[in-house]
Amino acid sequence: MLHRDKPKAAWQIYEVKSGVDPKSEYILDLAIQCWVLNQCKVKWNRAFIIHVNRECTFPNLDDLFVRADVTSSVNDILSDIGGDIEKLQKIVRAKIVPSKEIGKHCEVPYECGFKAHCWKHVPDFSVFDIPGGWRLFSKGKLRLEDVTPKDLTPTQKLPFDVATKNYTHIDSKGIKRDIAKLKFPMYHLDFETYGAAIPRYPGVGPYENVPFQFSLHIQHELNGKLDHKEYLHADTSDPRRSIAEKLVEWIPKKGGIVVAFNASFEEGVLRNLAEQFPKLAAHLNAIADRLVDPHPIIKANVYHKNFRGSFSMKDVAPALLGERWDYSKLEVSDGKAAQVAYDMMLRGKLTSKERETIKSQLIEYCAQDTLAMVELVKWLHDNT
């Protein structure tokens, strides 16, 4: 945006961004705009990044945006912009695709649109499929076959061995020791949250996660009958009270454990709800106090080639439990997709059929997480 206080005054230029800080890549964007203005003989004297104010809370949205004066930072890099643009124009006009080695610049600050093209030579399993892959790449290694034992750090040796020899590492003694904390009944819990740039609920700030859905699988014994409960807040009202009430209704204050994969997230949601609703706080905090996380148990004792250096549920479940648990086959396949789907519901521009379709997709996705935890607990017991 261009703005000036009076006719014939120098312009002020504003670049609006969705982040909560004036990041360096934002300033570069703005510097390019300022360079263009210079070429067009447009006089400007100040440059600003407008970004989201992390301190703003609903319903007072008057201070949703912060204006950061970055004129000095823009001027520091402005002299280099012309040379960079000239180089880019030469590349655009060239008839031969430029040769550029892959590197972290392929993904930082954003993933490059040409990554698939430039990474065509990277094999299906490469150094990037074990932890610390860039360290190995910096040594001139790309294929796992080119890596020697002396290239590896202690944390890389096991994933490398599993990937090259194609077996599953299972420390049965370690699993038996660690699953002692997994006592029945188990309440397998997973939340989905909504964090919008423009908050819509009282006391909530930009990008603050608000739970709108949870799935609960209750496992009374290892191979016994499962009870499944689910809640999806389907209207535009604040979902937090309903979520909190359902949690205290379905999960007892005492008895059993609450299982969550990467449980720090679920704990944060529960603690925030306890703070929001003091009358329910004791019960909600008691639920949070009984959280047990299978993630570190698996990380300490199990490694499969298809983990590819990751211990997220999306990688662990299909690797250990089979293709049935491949999240990519779901219409809503990850947390970001769940937020987008929920946002579509909130905007109220769907037909009743479209709305019901999205509801069923959200329920299926959230339920998969908790049911996968049930199956992972069984898998751990089977491998002691």
Side-chain angles (χ1 to χ4, degrees), residues 25 29 39 42 77 140 159 161 163 190 203 271 288 290 338 353 363:
E25 56 264 32
D29 284 352
Q39 307 313 300
V42 175
I77 61 176
D161 197 47
D190 180 71
R271 301 292 187 198
R290 305 205 312 280
K353 183 178 180 180
I363 289 169

Side-chain angles (χ1 to χ4, degrees), residues 290-358:
R290 305 205 312 280
L291 280 166
V292 177
D293 191 348
H295 175 267
I297 299 176
I298 292 171
K299 190 171 183 178
N301 301 296
V302 182
Y303 195 85
H304 190 286
K305 178 180 180 180
N306 288 336
F307 287 2
R308 294 180 181 264
S310 167
F311 288 89
S312 75
M313 176 68 82
K314 309 295 184 293
D315 295 299
V316 167
L320 299 183
L321 305 176
E323 289 187 10
R324 147 76 176 86
W325 304 94
D326 183 353
Y327 281 73
S328 66
K329 296 179 180 179
L330 300 176
E331 291 296 327
V332 174
S333 58
D334 58 38
K336 287 184 179 180
Q339 289 199 43
V340 171
Y342 188 65
D343 186 72
M344 291 172 65
M345 287 179 57
L346 293 180
R347 292 180 184 275
K349 295 182 179 180
L350 303 172
T351 65
S352 58
K353 183 178 180 180
E354 289 170 335
R355 184 178 175 81
E356 289 305 310
T357 297
I358 286 180

